[in-house]
Amino acid sequence: MKNLYIGFALVMGLFFASCRKDTHRPSLPAPIVYVAGYEQNSSNIPVATIWENGVATRLTDGTHPSNANTMFVDGTDVYAAGWESNGSGISVATLWKNGVATNLTDGTANAFVGSVYVSGTDVYAVGYYEQQVPSIGIKFVATLWKNGVATALSGAPGGADPSSVFVSGSNVYVAGSVYGTNSAPTLWTNGTPASLPVGAGYFAYPESVFVNGSDVYVVGYANDASNTFLIARTWKNGVITDLTDNTQIADAHSVYVSGSDVYVGGNEENSSGFGVAKIWKNGVATDLSDGTKYCNAFSVYVNGSDVYAAGIENNGTLGTAILWKNGVATNLTDGTHDAGVYTVVVK
């Protein structure tokens, strides 16, 4: 009987110990929120900066102007890209990996990076450098860098401004605008350009591309038929859907697809002429700002059930870098120096 009791006690002890372990499982680590942009220093020089969970790290020493237009996080590696001015006042296309800079251009002509994407061991960046052409003046030479090696994008004899790169499988997608008589919205797939429809106006400008399965999403803006307003626009597999009704100036800067939901970040002017930062989810707009100051959401990112956006609020003189999480704003800068952010990534 005694042995039976001891056996029962051991079994129950193991049961309750197991229950205690189940109820005290360690929680998953909190995600890290990365944001890229700039903040002016005390000499009013813009300095390329990344924020990690709200803590700022400058990417340059602030001697010359610089800006981090874009970023990508791959495992423990943090990539940022943009430009830094050299001592001669020329903007040099620059890629930073974990804070270490690599120049993508030689500093003989202005050059800029607008987007970076990492796939496996390959690092892609897109942007342009300026070239003097007698017949047209300054030409923007659209460029894709792969692991630092530059390739000019075809189909742009008058120049182009590629704004976004996305890699899906073996396919490399670049969205941007080709210059000619008007700005022609263009999607390059593995270097081959294809025009996107312009709609009722005569120009359109893509700003972001995202690929989900076999669907290719592009967002940007276009002018209306009367050339009075700008329309926030999406293209899904080349088919136009306008997010605004061409009664105010609007723009779509960033697109992110999570499951069957499509999120777009941008802004739309209100009746007082202030830009209101917005997120459109499946075409339905939610205001991020109250419309009393100019505000813009340049980037949107979804992590689980949380929706992040990054952008700027301007008081008429200075910009404040802002991060929104589920519509709640957090200032990344205190407003004493001009600042802005253009990309948010959550890992």
Side-chain angles (χ1 to χ4, degrees):
M1 185 69 177
K2 183 178 179 181
N3 290 337
L4 181 61
Y5 175 79
I6 292 173
F8 178 78
L10 287 172
V11 170
M12 293 306 292
L14 290 171
F15 173 78
F16 285 115
S18 174
C19 289
R20 285 195 296 271
K21 289 179 182 177
D22 287 344
T23 56
H24 292 85
R25 288 177 179 173
S27 58
L28 294 175
I32 300 175
V33 182
Y34 302 88
V35 182
Y38 77 94
E39 183 180 17
Q40 286 187 345
N41 59 19
S42 58
S43 300
N44 294 325
I45 295 173
V47 181
T49 303
I50 58 174
W51 288 260
E52 183 177 326
N53 288 338
V55 179
T57 299
R58 290 180 172 178
L59 296 175
T60 75
D61 63 7
T63 303
H64 305 296
S66 60
N67 197 354
N69 294 324
T70 178
M71 74 184 311
F72 194 98
V73 180
D74 180 47
T76 59
D77 294 322
V78 179
Y79 298 82
W83 56 272
E84 182 180 13
S85 180
N86 61 19
S88 302
I90 301 295
S91 296
V92 180
T94 306
L95 173 72
W96 293 271
K97 179 182 178 181
N98 301 325
V100 179
T102 297
N103 293 341
L104 298 177
T105 54
D106 62 8
T108 58
N110 285 320
F112 308 88
V113 177
S115 180
V116 62
Y117 197 101
V118 181
S119 178
T121 59
D122 296 321
V123 181
Y124 300 84
V126 293
Y128 66 87
Y129 65 88
E130 294 180 357
Q131 181 183 71
Q132 287 286 346
V133 178
S135 59
I136 62 176
I138 295 177
K139 173 184 174 180
F140 292 174
V141 181
T143 304
L144 170 69
W145 290 271
K146 179 180 178 181
N147 301 326
V149 178
T151 299
L153 293 171
S154 63
D161 183 2
S163 56
S164 181
V165 59
F166 194 102
V167 181
S168 178
S170 61
N171 295 318
V172 180
Y173 300 86
V174 176
S177 187
V178 171
Y179 298 132
T181 305
N182 300 307
S183 296
T186 302
L187 178 69
W188 288 266
T189 304
N190 300 326
T192 301
S195 296
L196 296 171
V198 175
Y202 61 86
F203 73 82
Y205 187 88
E207 296 197 51
S208 179
V209 59
F210 193 103
V211 181
N212 183 43
S214 60
D215 294 321
V216 181
Y217 298 83
V218 178
V219 302
Y221 65 86
N223 70 326
D224 65 352
S226 64
N227 197 29
T228 304
F229 299 106
L230 297 178
I231 304 164
R233 171 168 293 174
T234 68
W235 293 264
K236 179 182 177 182
N237 302 324
V239 178
I240 290 173
T241 298
D242 288 337
L243 299 172
T244 55
D245 61 4
N246 77 313
T247 60
Q248 299 291 341
I249 294 175
D251 194 354
H253 297 291
S254 175
V255 58
Y256 194 99
V257 182
S258 177
S260 60
D261 295 321
V262 181
Y263 299 83
V264 178
N267 84 331
E268 183 180 17
E269 282 191 357
N270 59 18
S271 58
S272 300
F274 292 111
V276 179
K278 294 176 180 284
I279 288 178
W280 289 268
K281 178 182 178 181
N282 301 326
V284 179
T286 298
D287 293 349
L288 298 176
S289 58
D290 63 8
T292 60
K293 299 176 182 177
Y294 173 83
C295 209
N296 208 333
F298 291 109
S299 179
V300 62
Y301 196 99
V302 181
N303 183 61
S305 60
D306 295 321
V307 181
Y308 297 82
I312 187 172
E313 180 183 80
N314 194 294
N315 61 12
T317 304
L318 298 173
T320 299
I322 296 184
L323 171 71
W324 291 271
K325 178 182 177 181
N326 300 327
V328 178
T330 298
N331 291 352
L332 297 174
T333 57
D334 61 10
T336 58
H337 297 99
D338 189 51
V341 287
Y342 305 105
T343 305
V344 57
V345 177
V346 184
K347 295 293 184 179

PDB file of all heavy atoms in Angstrom, residues 226-258:
ATOM      1  N   SER A 226      -7.482  66.566 -66.343  1.00  0.00           N
ATOM      2  CA  SER A 226      -7.387  68.020 -66.436  1.00  0.00           C
ATOM      3  C   SER A 226      -6.037  68.547 -65.960  1.00  0.00           C
ATOM      4  O   SER A 226      -5.799  69.756 -65.996  1.00  0.00           O
ATOM      5  CB  SER A 226      -8.495  68.670 -65.607  1.00  0.00           C
ATOM      6  OG  SER A 226      -8.323  68.371 -64.229  1.00  0.00           O
ATOM      7  N   ASN A 227      -5.162  67.653 -65.516  1.00  0.00           N
ATOM      8  CA  ASN A 227      -3.855  68.018 -64.986  1.00  0.00           C
ATOM      9  C   ASN A 227      -3.974  68.982 -63.812  1.00  0.00           C
ATOM     10  O   ASN A 227      -3.154  69.887 -63.636  1.00  0.00           O
ATOM     11  CB  ASN A 227      -2.963  68.631 -66.075  1.00  0.00           C
ATOM     12  CG  ASN A 227      -1.491  68.620 -65.663  1.00  0.00           C
ATOM     13  OD1 ASN A 227      -1.060  67.764 -64.904  1.00  0.00           O
ATOM     14  ND2 ASN A 227      -0.743  69.593 -66.164  1.00  0.00           N
ATOM     15  N   THR A 228      -5.011  68.780 -63.001  1.00  0.00           N
ATOM     16  CA  THR A 228      -5.235  69.626 -61.832  1.00  0.00           C
ATOM     17  C   THR A 228      -4.773  68.952 -60.549  1.00  0.00           C
ATOM     18  O   THR A 228      -4.212  69.593 -59.665  1.00  0.00           O
ATOM     19  CB  THR A 228      -6.732  69.967 -61.707  1.00  0.00           C
ATOM     20  OG1 THR A 228      -7.174  70.581 -62.928  1.00  0.00           O
ATOM     21  CG2 THR A 228      -6.980  70.932 -60.547  1.00  0.00           C
ATOM     22  N   PHE A 229      -4.993  67.655 -60.446  1.00  0.00           N
ATOM     23  CA  PHE A 229      -4.679  66.926 -59.221  1.00  0.00           C
ATOM     24  C   PHE A 229      -3.832  65.691 -59.542  1.00  0.00           C
ATOM     25  O   PHE A 229      -3.749  65.251 -60.688  1.00  0.00           O
ATOM     26  CB  PHE A 229      -5.968  66.494 -58.519  1.00  0.00           C
ATOM     27  CG  PHE A 229      -6.851  67.633 -58.114  1.00  0.00           C
ATOM     28  CD1 PHE A 229      -8.014  67.912 -58.812  1.00  0.00           C
ATOM     29  CD2 PHE A 229      -6.507  68.442 -57.042  1.00  0.00           C
ATOM     30  CE1 PHE A 229      -8.820  68.971 -58.443  1.00  0.00           C
ATOM     31  CE2 PHE A 229      -7.311  69.502 -56.659  1.00  0.00           C
ATOM     32  CZ  PHE A 229      -8.471  69.770 -57.363  1.00  0.00           C
ATOM     33  N   LEU A 230      -3.218  65.160 -58.484  1.00  0.00           N
ATOM     34  CA  LEU A 230      -2.515  63.891 -58.568  1.00  0.00           C
ATOM     35  C   LEU A 230      -3.336  62.814 -57.871  1.00  0.00           C
ATOM     36  O   LEU A 230      -3.935  63.061 -56.822  1.00  0.00           O
ATOM     37  CB  LEU A 230      -1.130  63.985 -57.930  1.00  0.00           C
ATOM     38  CG  LEU A 230      -0.147  64.954 -58.575  1.00  0.00           C
ATOM     39  CD1 LEU A 230       1.164  64.973 -57.798  1.00  0.00           C
ATOM     40  CD2 LEU A 230       0.108  64.601 -60.040  1.00  0.00           C
ATOM     41  N   ILE A 231      -3.339  61.624 -58.435  1.00  0.00           N
ATOM     42  CA  ILE A 231      -4.155  60.517 -57.950  1.00  0.00           C
ATOM     43  C   ILE A 231      -3.242  59.442 -57.370  1.00  0.00           C
ATOM     44  O   ILE A 231      -2.263  59.049 -58.007  1.00  0.00           O
ATOM     45  CB  ILE A 231      -4.977  59.916 -59.112  1.00  0.00           C
ATOM     46  CG1 ILE A 231      -5.838  60.978 -59.790  1.00  0.00           C
ATOM     47  CG2 ILE A 231      -5.833  58.753 -58.620  1.00  0.00           C
ATOM     48  CD1 ILE A 231      -6.370  60.551 -61.146  1.00  0.00           C
ATOM     49  N   ALA A 232      -3.546  58.949 -56.170  1.00  0.00           N
ATOM     50  CA  ALA A 232      -2.841  57.792 -55.620  1.00  0.00           C
ATOM     51  C   ALA A 232      -3.333  56.551 -56.350  1.00  0.00           C
ATOM     52  O   ALA A 232      -4.539  56.308 -56.452  1.00  0.00           O
ATOM     53  CB  ALA A 232      -3.101  57.678 -54.119  1.00  0.00           C
ATOM     54  N   ARG A 233      -2.402  55.735 -56.829  1.00  0.00           N
ATOM     55  CA  ARG A 233      -2.770  54.656 -57.753  1.00  0.00           C
ATOM     56  C   ARG A 233      -2.063  53.354 -57.405  1.00  0.00           C
ATOM     57  O   ARG A 233      -0.937  53.339 -56.927  1.00  0.00           O
ATOM     58  CB  ARG A 233      -2.429  55.066 -59.178  1.00  0.00           C
ATOM     59  CG  ARG A 233      -2.566  53.963 -60.222  1.00  0.00           C
ATOM     60  CD  ARG A 233      -2.483  54.519 -61.625  1.00  0.00           C
ATOM     61  NE  ARG A 233      -3.649  55.361 -61.900  1.00  0.00           N
ATOM     62  CZ  ARG A 233      -3.799  56.085 -63.011  1.00  0.00           C
ATOM     63  NH1 ARG A 233      -2.858  56.077 -63.936  1.00  0.00           N
ATOM     64  NH2 ARG A 233      -4.879  56.809 -63.201  1.00  0.00           N
ATOM     65  N   THR A 234      -2.748  52.243 -57.698  1.00  0.00           N
ATOM     66  CA  THR A 234      -2.123  50.922 -57.679  1.00  0.00           C
ATOM     67  C   THR A 234      -2.285  50.281 -59.048  1.00  0.00           C
ATOM     68  O   THR A 234      -3.259  50.538 -59.768  1.00  0.00           O
ATOM     69  CB  THR A 234      -2.752  50.000 -56.620  1.00  0.00           C
ATOM     70  OG1 THR A 234      -4.093  49.678 -57.005  1.00  0.00           O
ATOM     71  CG2 THR A 234      -2.761  50.648 -55.243  1.00  0.00           C
ATOM     72  N   TRP A 235      -1.290  49.477 -59.398  1.00  0.00           N
ATOM     73  CA  TRP A 235      -1.380  48.585 -60.551  1.00  0.00           C
ATOM     74  C   TRP A 235      -1.203  47.162 -60.024  1.00  0.00           C
ATOM     75  O   TRP A 235      -0.194  46.859 -59.379  1.00  0.00           O
ATOM     76  CB  TRP A 235      -0.278  48.857 -61.567  1.00  0.00           C
ATOM     77  CG  TRP A 235      -0.307  50.155 -62.300  1.00  0.00           C
ATOM     78  CD1 TRP A 235      -0.842  50.392 -63.536  1.00  0.00           C
ATOM     79  CD2 TRP A 235       0.304  51.395 -61.907  1.00  0.00           C
ATOM     80  NE1 TRP A 235      -0.616  51.697 -63.926  1.00  0.00           N
ATOM     81  CE2 TRP A 235       0.078  52.335 -62.946  1.00  0.00           C
ATOM     82  CE3 TRP A 235       1.006  51.807 -60.773  1.00  0.00           C
ATOM     83  CZ2 TRP A 235       0.544  53.647 -62.885  1.00  0.00           C
ATOM     84  CZ3 TRP A 235       1.448  53.109 -60.689  1.00  0.00           C
ATOM     85  CH2 TRP A 235       1.227  54.017 -61.738  1.00  0.00           C
ATOM     86  N   LYS A 236      -2.149  46.292 -60.274  1.00  0.00           N
ATOM     87  CA  LYS A 236      -1.996  44.876 -59.949  1.00  0.00           C
ATOM     88  C   LYS A 236      -1.948  44.114 -61.258  1.00  0.00           C
ATOM     89  O   LYS A 236      -2.915  44.111 -62.024  1.00  0.00           O
ATOM     90  CB  LYS A 236      -3.147  44.361 -59.087  1.00  0.00           C
ATOM     91  CG  LYS A 236      -3.035  42.872 -58.759  1.00  0.00           C
ATOM     92  CD  LYS A 236      -4.220  42.373 -57.951  1.00  0.00           C
ATOM     93  CE  LYS A 236      -4.123  40.865 -57.698  1.00  0.00           C
ATOM     94  NZ  LYS A 236      -5.298  40.338 -56.944  1.00  0.00           N
ATOM     95  N   ASN A 237      -0.798  43.530 -61.524  1.00  0.00           N
ATOM     96  CA  ASN A 237      -0.595  42.840 -62.805  1.00  0.00           C
ATOM     97  C   ASN A 237      -0.952  43.749 -63.980  1.00  0.00           C
ATOM     98  O   ASN A 237      -1.508  43.318 -64.982  1.00  0.00           O
ATOM     99  CB  ASN A 237      -1.393  41.543 -62.854  1.00  0.00           C
ATOM    100  CG  ASN A 237      -1.024  40.593 -61.729  1.00  0.00           C
ATOM    101  OD1 ASN A 237       0.133  40.513 -61.330  1.00  0.00           O
ATOM    102  ND2 ASN A 237      -2.011  39.879 -61.197  1.00  0.00           N
ATOM    103  N   GLY A 238      -0.631  45.026 -63.816  1.00  0.00           N
ATOM    104  CA  GLY A 238      -0.840  46.007 -64.872  1.00  0.00           C
ATOM    105  C   GLY A 238      -2.208  46.638 -64.920  1.00  0.00           C
ATOM    106  O   GLY A 238      -2.436  47.557 -65.719  1.00  0.00           O
ATOM    107  N   VAL A 239      -3.140  46.210 -64.072  1.00  0.00           N
ATOM    108  CA  VAL A 239      -4.503  46.755 -64.074  1.00  0.00           C
ATOM    109  C   VAL A 239      -4.599  47.881 -63.042  1.00  0.00           C
ATOM    110  O   VAL A 239      -4.235  47.706 -61.882  1.00  0.00           O
ATOM    111  CB  VAL A 239      -5.539  45.663 -63.769  1.00  0.00           C
ATOM    112  CG1 VAL A 239      -6.949  46.254 -63.727  1.00  0.00           C
ATOM    113  CG2 VAL A 239      -5.445  44.556 -64.804  1.00  0.00           C
ATOM    114  N   ILE A 240      -5.119  49.033 -63.469  1.00  0.00           N
ATOM    115  CA  ILE A 240      -5.174  50.223 -62.628  1.00  0.00           C
ATOM    116  C   ILE A 240      -6.327  50.149 -61.639  1.00  0.00           C
ATOM    117  O   ILE A 240      -7.455  49.793 -61.995  1.00  0.00           O
ATOM    118  CB  ILE A 240      -5.347  51.490 -63.496  1.00  0.00           C
ATOM    119  CG1 ILE A 240      -4.076  51.773 -64.288  1.00  0.00           C
ATOM    120  CG2 ILE A 240      -5.728  52.696 -62.645  1.00  0.00           C
ATOM    121  CD1 ILE A 240      -4.228  52.914 -65.281  1.00  0.00           C
ATOM    122  N   THR A 241      -6.043  50.528 -60.384  1.00  0.00           N
ATOM    123  CA  THR A 241      -7.071  50.843 -59.398  1.00  0.00           C
ATOM    124  C   THR A 241      -6.645  52.136 -58.717  1.00  0.00           C
ATOM    125  O   THR A 241      -5.560  52.201 -58.129  1.00  0.00           O
ATOM    126  CB  THR A 241      -7.228  49.739 -58.344  1.00  0.00           C
ATOM    127  OG1 THR A 241      -7.639  48.533 -58.968  1.00  0.00           O
ATOM    128  CG2 THR A 241      -8.274  50.134 -57.297  1.00  0.00           C
ATOM    129  N   ASP A 242      -7.472  53.156 -58.805  1.00  0.00           N
ATOM    130  CA  ASP A 242      -7.163  54.427 -58.161  1.00  0.00           C
ATOM    131  C   ASP A 242      -7.687  54.431 -56.734  1.00  0.00           C
ATOM    132  O   ASP A 242      -8.814  54.009 -56.458  1.00  0.00           O
ATOM    133  CB  ASP A 242      -7.768  55.586 -58.939  1.00  0.00           C
ATOM    134  CG  ASP A 242      -7.038  55.847 -60.248  1.00  0.00           C
ATOM    135  OD1 ASP A 242      -5.853  55.462 -60.341  1.00  0.00           O
ATOM    136  OD2 ASP A 242      -7.639  56.420 -61.170  1.00  0.00           O
ATOM    137  N   LEU A 243      -6.850  54.928 -55.816  1.00  0.00           N
ATOM    138  CA  LEU A 243      -7.207  54.964 -54.404  1.00  0.00           C
ATOM    139  C   LEU A 243      -7.901  56.258 -54.018  1.00  0.00           C
ATOM    140  O   LEU A 243      -8.550  56.320 -52.969  1.00  0.00           O
ATOM    141  CB  LEU A 243      -5.944  54.787 -53.547  1.00  0.00           C
ATOM    142  CG  LEU A 243      -5.195  53.473 -53.736  1.00  0.00           C
ATOM    143  CD1 LEU A 243      -3.875  53.497 -52.988  1.00  0.00           C
ATOM    144  CD2 LEU A 243      -6.055  52.297 -53.270  1.00  0.00           C
ATOM    145  N   THR A 244      -7.742  57.299 -54.831  1.00  0.00           N
ATOM    146  CA  THR A 244      -8.369  58.593 -54.539  1.00  0.00           C
ATOM    147  C   THR A 244      -9.177  59.040 -55.745  1.00  0.00           C
ATOM    148  O   THR A 244      -9.044  58.498 -56.847  1.00  0.00           O
ATOM    149  CB  THR A 244      -7.309  59.646 -54.174  1.00  0.00           C
ATOM    150  OG1 THR A 244      -6.327  59.733 -55.229  1.00  0.00           O
ATOM    151  CG2 THR A 244      -6.619  59.264 -52.878  1.00  0.00           C
ATOM    152  N   ASP A 245     -10.017  60.050 -55.526  1.00  0.00           N
ATOM    153  CA  ASP A 245     -11.033  60.406 -56.525  1.00  0.00           C
ATOM    154  C   ASP A 245     -10.685  61.639 -57.340  1.00  0.00           C
ATOM    155  O   ASP A 245     -11.557  62.244 -57.939  1.00  0.00           O
ATOM    156  CB  ASP A 245     -12.385  60.616 -55.841  1.00  0.00           C
ATOM    157  CG  ASP A 245     -12.349  61.752 -54.820  1.00  0.00           C
ATOM    158  OD1 ASP A 245     -11.291  62.416 -54.700  1.00  0.00           O
ATOM    159  OD2 ASP A 245     -13.377  61.973 -54.153  1.00  0.00           O
ATOM    160  N   ASN A 246      -9.429  62.039 -57.381  1.00  0.00           N
ATOM    161  CA  ASN A 246      -8.905  63.171 -58.129  1.00  0.00           C
ATOM    162  C   ASN A 246      -9.586  64.500 -57.791  1.00  0.00           C
ATOM    163  O   ASN A 246      -9.708  65.384 -58.633  1.00  0.00           O
ATOM    164  CB  ASN A 246      -8.922  62.921 -59.654  1.00  0.00           C
ATOM    165  CG  ASN A 246     -10.258  63.047 -60.339  1.00  0.00           C
ATOM    166  OD1 ASN A 246     -11.246  62.511 -59.857  1.00  0.00           O
ATOM    167  ND2 ASN A 246     -10.293  63.733 -61.468  1.00  0.00           N
ATOM    168  N   THR A 247      -9.974  64.660 -56.515  1.00  0.00           N
ATOM    169  CA  THR A 247     -10.450  65.963 -56.048  1.00  0.00           C
ATOM    170  C   THR A 247      -9.401  66.672 -55.199  1.00  0.00           C
ATOM    171  O   THR A 247      -9.578  67.836 -54.850  1.00  0.00           O
ATOM    172  CB  THR A 247     -11.745  65.830 -55.228  1.00  0.00           C
ATOM    173  OG1 THR A 247     -11.498  64.992 -54.091  1.00  0.00           O
ATOM    174  CG2 THR A 247     -12.869  65.230 -56.070  1.00  0.00           C
ATOM    175  N   GLN A 248      -8.321  65.982 -54.858  1.00  0.00           N
ATOM    176  CA  GLN A 248      -7.215  66.552 -54.108  1.00  0.00           C
ATOM    177  C   GLN A 248      -5.911  65.937 -54.620  1.00  0.00           C
ATOM    178  O   GLN A 248      -5.924  64.950 -55.368  1.00  0.00           O
ATOM    179  CB  GLN A 248      -7.357  66.263 -52.603  1.00  0.00           C
ATOM    180  CG  GLN A 248      -8.602  66.825 -51.942  1.00  0.00           C
ATOM    181  CD  GLN A 248      -8.598  68.340 -51.856  1.00  0.00           C
ATOM    182  OE1 GLN A 248      -7.545  68.981 -51.957  1.00  0.00           O
ATOM    183  NE2 GLN A 248      -9.778  68.918 -51.670  1.00  0.00           N
ATOM    184  N   ILE A 249      -4.795  66.507 -54.202  1.00  0.00           N
ATOM    185  CA  ILE A 249      -3.492  65.947 -54.552  1.00  0.00           C
ATOM    186  C   ILE A 249      -3.199  64.780 -53.617  1.00  0.00           C
ATOM    187  O   ILE A 249      -3.339  64.892 -52.397  1.00  0.00           O
ATOM    188  CB  ILE A 249      -2.396  67.020 -54.443  1.00  0.00           C
ATOM    189  CG1 ILE A 249      -2.626  68.094 -55.507  1.00  0.00           C
ATOM    190  CG2 ILE A 249      -1.013  66.401 -54.599  1.00  0.00           C
ATOM    191  CD1 ILE A 249      -1.675  69.269 -55.402  1.00  0.00           C
ATOM    192  N   ALA A 250      -2.793  63.647 -54.185  1.00  0.00           N
ATOM    193  CA  ALA A 250      -2.546  62.450 -53.390  1.00  0.00           C
ATOM    194  C   ALA A 250      -1.384  61.669 -53.983  1.00  0.00           C
ATOM    195  O   ALA A 250      -1.007  61.861 -55.146  1.00  0.00           O
ATOM    196  CB  ALA A 250      -3.798  61.580 -53.317  1.00  0.00           C
ATOM    197  N   ASP A 251      -0.832  60.770 -53.182  1.00  0.00           N
ATOM    198  CA  ASP A 251       0.315  59.975 -53.626  1.00  0.00           C
ATOM    199  C   ASP A 251       0.337  58.665 -52.849  1.00  0.00           C
ATOM    200  O   ASP A 251      -0.031  58.621 -51.676  1.00  0.00           O
ATOM    201  CB  ASP A 251       1.613  60.748 -53.366  1.00  0.00           C
ATOM    202  CG  ASP A 251       2.812  60.157 -54.104  1.00  0.00           C
ATOM    203  OD1 ASP A 251       2.665  59.090 -54.727  1.00  0.00           O
ATOM    204  OD2 ASP A 251       3.882  60.767 -54.045  1.00  0.00           O
ATOM    205  N   ALA A 252       0.752  57.596 -53.511  1.00  0.00           N
ATOM    206  CA  ALA A 252       0.972  56.304 -52.866  1.00  0.00           C
ATOM    207  C   ALA A 252       2.458  55.995 -52.966  1.00  0.00           C
ATOM    208  O   ALA A 252       3.012  55.930 -54.060  1.00  0.00           O
ATOM    209  CB  ALA A 252       0.149  55.214 -53.533  1.00  0.00           C
ATOM    210  N   HIS A 253       3.111  55.803 -51.810  1.00  0.00           N
ATOM    211  CA  HIS A 253       4.565  55.651 -51.786  1.00  0.00           C
ATOM    212  C   HIS A 253       5.030  54.213 -51.598  1.00  0.00           C
ATOM    213  O   HIS A 253       6.140  53.871 -52.008  1.00  0.00           O
ATOM    214  CB  HIS A 253       5.154  56.479 -50.641  1.00  0.00           C
ATOM    215  CG  HIS A 253       4.938  57.943 -50.757  1.00  0.00           C
ATOM    216  ND1 HIS A 253       5.556  58.721 -51.715  1.00  0.00           N
ATOM    217  CD2 HIS A 253       4.172  58.797 -50.033  1.00  0.00           C
ATOM    218  CE1 HIS A 253       5.180  59.979 -51.577  1.00  0.00           C
ATOM    219  NE2 HIS A 253       4.344  60.053 -50.566  1.00  0.00           N
ATOM    220  N   SER A 254       4.237  53.380 -50.932  1.00  0.00           N
ATOM    221  CA  SER A 254       4.730  52.078 -50.501  1.00  0.00           C
ATOM    222  C   SER A 254       3.601  51.070 -50.505  1.00  0.00           C
ATOM    223  O   SER A 254       2.455  51.402 -50.181  1.00  0.00           O
ATOM    224  CB  SER A 254       5.326  52.202 -49.086  1.00  0.00           C
ATOM    225  OG  SER A 254       5.717  50.952 -48.573  1.00  0.00           O
ATOM    226  N   VAL A 255       3.921  49.810 -50.850  1.00  0.00           N
ATOM    227  CA  VAL A 255       2.927  48.744 -50.848  1.00  0.00           C
ATOM    228  C   VAL A 255       3.512  47.525 -50.144  1.00  0.00           C
ATOM    229  O   VAL A 255       4.702  47.216 -50.283  1.00  0.00           O
ATOM    230  CB  VAL A 255       2.465  48.386 -52.284  1.00  0.00           C
ATOM    231  CG1 VAL A 255       3.641  47.964 -53.159  1.00  0.00           C
ATOM    232  CG2 VAL A 255       1.388  47.316 -52.255  1.00  0.00           C
ATOM    233  N   TYR A 256       2.654  46.845 -49.374  1.00  0.00           N
ATOM    234  CA  TYR A 256       3.033  45.617 -48.678  1.00  0.00           C
ATOM    235  C   TYR A 256       1.837  44.682 -48.702  1.00  0.00           C
ATOM    236  O   TYR A 256       0.712  45.097 -48.401  1.00  0.00           O
ATOM    237  CB  TYR A 256       3.436  45.909 -47.231  1.00  0.00           C
ATOM    238  CG  TYR A 256       4.148  44.759 -46.547  1.00  0.00           C
ATOM    239  CD1 TYR A 256       5.531  44.741 -46.432  1.00  0.00           C
ATOM    240  CD2 TYR A 256       3.439  43.676 -46.036  1.00  0.00           C
ATOM    241  CE1 TYR A 256       6.198  43.681 -45.825  1.00  0.00           C
ATOM    242  CE2 TYR A 256       4.090  42.612 -45.430  1.00  0.00           C
ATOM    243  CZ  TYR A 256       5.470  42.621 -45.327  1.00  0.00           C
ATOM    244  OH  TYR A 256       6.118  41.573 -44.723  1.00  0.00           O
ATOM    245  N   VAL A 257       2.074  43.423 -49.055  1.00  0.00           N
ATOM    246  CA  VAL A 257       0.995  42.444 -49.132  1.00  0.00           C
ATOM    247  C   VAL A 257       1.211  41.404 -48.043  1.00  0.00           C
ATOM    248  O   VAL A 257       2.299  40.824 -47.925  1.00  0.00           O
ATOM    249  CB  VAL A 257       0.947  41.768 -50.519  1.00  0.00           C
ATOM    250  CG1 VAL A 257      -0.218  40.787 -50.579  1.00  0.00           C
ATOM    251  CG2 VAL A 257       0.828  42.816 -51.615  1.00  0.00           C
ATOM    252  N   SER A 258       0.161  41.176 -47.240  1.00  0.00           N
ATOM    253  CA  SER A 258       0.197  40.185 -46.171  1.00  0.00           C
ATOM    254  C   SER A 258      -1.019  39.288 -46.333  1.00  0.00           C
ATOM    255  O   SER A 258      -2.161  39.732 -46.142  1.00  0.00           O
ATOM    256  CB  SER A 258       0.190  40.866 -44.805  1.00  0.00           C
ATOM    257  OG  SER A 258       0.160  39.912 -43.758  1.00  0.00           O
TER     258      SER A 258
END
